Amino acid sequence: MTELIFDDIGSFPLQGGISAEWLREAIPAHEPAAFDVIKSTFRQKLDAGVDVATYPQFQDMNKQFLSILNDPECIEGPFDVKLSCAKIIELEAIEKAAEEYRMETGIKPNVRVCVTGPLELYLQEFGGTSYDDILELFGQSIDKFVTNAIDNASNFNVHTVSIDEPSIGINPQVMFDDDEIINALEKASATASRKGVDVEIHLHSPLYYELACRTSGINVIGVESAASPTYLELIDKKVLEETDSFLRAGVARTDIFNLVAILNEKYSTNAWQKPEMLQELVTDMETPSTILKRLEHAYGIFGDRVKYVGPDCGLGSWPTPEIASTLLGNVAEALDTFRN
């Protein structure tokens, strides 16, 4: 049996009194207070039992990279970033938290580095056009961010790189053919793959999962199967086996607005205004037993082709860090039960 790995997607709710708008400005400015927020959030994920925690994502997923790719001081040419500028600030921020964790436990924490995919960045800049040379440049530049992330990590191990491509299978503006998208994804995943780091692709729809399976640098396909169990029916185990690909199965729902709507209907009230009701999200709804059943279902279909499990998506819209941490803890408990 393959050892299942628990990772998370990245975003996380802020403590009351901390402004998301302030944080988006403070992180690029390297403000110590912003680094403290990132460090404490990263430690919350580790303490909740996440095996491979994503650096806390509080910046806009596109602007985080495009602000550098559009900076004349940071590029060799259009969208060709200088290696010296291709840095993910959050990884610098978690170094101290990782060092403290290593000193306490004797273990370097494993980290999941999430980068916005070349297609997603292209669509943000150019919409429904198709300049394949520019798409390739985005892939090459993302690879430089990944290279720095791996090479500069001191107190943690870059265990997994995730390429976030939510538009594949959803956005009608995508005008590239499959081979052009695969080429860009292979450029983006080249260094991580060469260095033996698992490369996930985070998709919001599995309709084109075979495209990712055909991409030589990507070996893990993320499926948001907790909220949409039928997504698993779209995946063919034989395709995974033939391409030596694995699944990251979503086993905990993160679609918070739909979950709270269930509470609203149950109690005929607005649960957002009653924090005590929101606890039911993790005490009565997304419980360890519910999560375990989903895990067993996915493993029953795909067996050892399931390599990673965790929440469907990020938890940034969840009501409090405490409830989000409990959800992560529920996943950890379910996984412990499954392992034993």
Side-chain angles (χ1 to χ4, degrees):
M1 174 178 168
T2 300
E3 179 65 21
L4 294 176
I5 300 167
F6 171 21
D7 67 359
D8 79 298
I9 298 300
S11 66
F12 208 75
L14 293 168
Q15 289 286 357
I18 298 176
S19 162
E21 291 73 21
W22 164 78
L23 195 55
R24 292 190 191 104
E25 298 295 326
I27 292 173
H30 290 74
E31 290 192 21
F35 275 34
D36 287 342
V37 173
I38 295 169
K39 287 188 292 184
S40 64
T41 302
F42 179 68
R43 185 57 192 257
Q44 280 181 282
K45 294 183 179 189
L46 295 180
D47 290 343
V50 182
D51 297 324
V52 182
T54 304
Y55 67 82
Q57 293 178 276
F58 296 120
Q59 295 193 77
D60 177 89
M61 63 177 282
N62 293 308
K63 186 178 179 181
Q64 175 181 359
F65 297 98
L66 289 175
S67 62
I68 298 172
L69 290 168
N70 284 315
D71 183 346
E73 299 297 319
C74 285
I75 55 175
E76 306 283 1
F79 307 109
D80 182 12
V81 71
K82 294 177 181 177
L83 183 62
S84 59
C85 289
K87 295 179 179 178
I88 297 172
I89 300 169
E90 289 84 350
L91 296 179
E92 178 185 342
I94 68 171
E95 275 286 358
K96 185 63 178 177
E99 180 183 19
E100 292 171 357
Y101 184 85
R102 180 176 60 83
M103 294 296 290
E104 292 173 18
T105 65
I107 300 170
K108 276 188 176 184
N110 289 322
V111 170
R112 178 180 179 273
V113 172
C114 184
V115 292
T116 306
L119 180 62
E120 197 65 27
L121 294 176
Y122 181 96
L123 291 170
Q124 186 71 19
E125 286 289 281
F126 296 99
T129 60
S130 56
Y131 303 112
D132 61 317
D133 54 338
I134 296 178
L135 180 65
E136 182 173 321
L137 281 171
F138 276 122
Q140 292 171 349
S141 287
I142 286 300
D143 185 58
K144 293 178 185 178
F145 283 94
V146 172
T147 298
N148 272 333
I150 296 171
D151 290 348
N152 295 329
S154 296
N155 292 293
F156 58 85
N157 304 308
V158 176
H159 183 282
T160 312
V161 169
S162 178
I163 300 175
D164 199 351
E165 288 283 15
S167 289
I168 294 178
I170 292 177
N171 193 334
Q173 284 191 305
V174 177
M175 297 297 174
F176 294 102
D177 62 36
D178 288 358
D179 288 341
E180 290 168 333
I181 296 173
I182 288 171
N183 177 59
L185 291 173
E186 287 182 342
K187 298 295 184 187
S189 58
T191 297
S193 178
R194 186 174 67 251
K195 295 193 174 190
V197 174
D198 279 344
V199 181
E200 294 181 4
I201 186 165
H202 180 60
L203 304 172
H204 286 195
S205 165
L207 286 174
Y208 292 94
Y209 80 95
E210 290 188 54
L211 182 150
C213 290
R214 289 168 49 203
T215 301
S216 61
I218 295 172
N219 66 319
V220 181
I221 315 301
V223 182
E224 296 187 359
S225 50
S228 303
T230 56
Y231 279 0
L232 295 178
E233 298 173 9
L234 300 176
I235 309 293
D236 188 338
K237 184 181 179 182
K238 289 183 179 179
V239 172
L240 300 179
E241 292 171 338
E242 290 168 357
T243 58
D244 197 23
S245 301
F246 297 87
L247 283 186
R248 179 200 184 271
V251 293
R253 289 179 61 175
T254 55
D255 53 331
I256 186 65
F257 299 104
N258 290 329
L259 290 171
V260 173
I262 295 172
L263 290 177
N264 290 344
E265 184 175 353
K266 178 180 178 180
Y267 293 108
S268 300
T269 188
N270 183 354
W272 287 108
Q273 297 177 353
K274 299 181 179 181
E276 67 279 3
M277 286 186 182
L278 295 175
Q279 289 293 330
E280 287 195 24
L281 294 168
V282 289
T283 59
D284 293 342
M285 298 171 71
E286 293 301 297
T287 63
S289 61
T290 297
I291 294 166
L292 177 61
K293 289 175 183 176
R294 295 191 188 115
L295 200 165
E296 290 172 336
H297 176 65
Y299 197 85
I301 299 172
F302 298 101
D304 286 351
R305 286 292 132 185
V306 180
K307 188 171 185 179
Y308 288 81
V309 296
D312 271 349
C313 203
L315 297 168
S317 298
W318 277 55
T320 67
E322 291 75 21
I323 293 177
S325 291
T326 301
L327 180 73
L328 295 179
N330 287 352
V331 176
E333 183 178 335
L335 186 52
D336 284 344
T337 301
F338 183 83
R339 287 167 173 162
N340 294 328

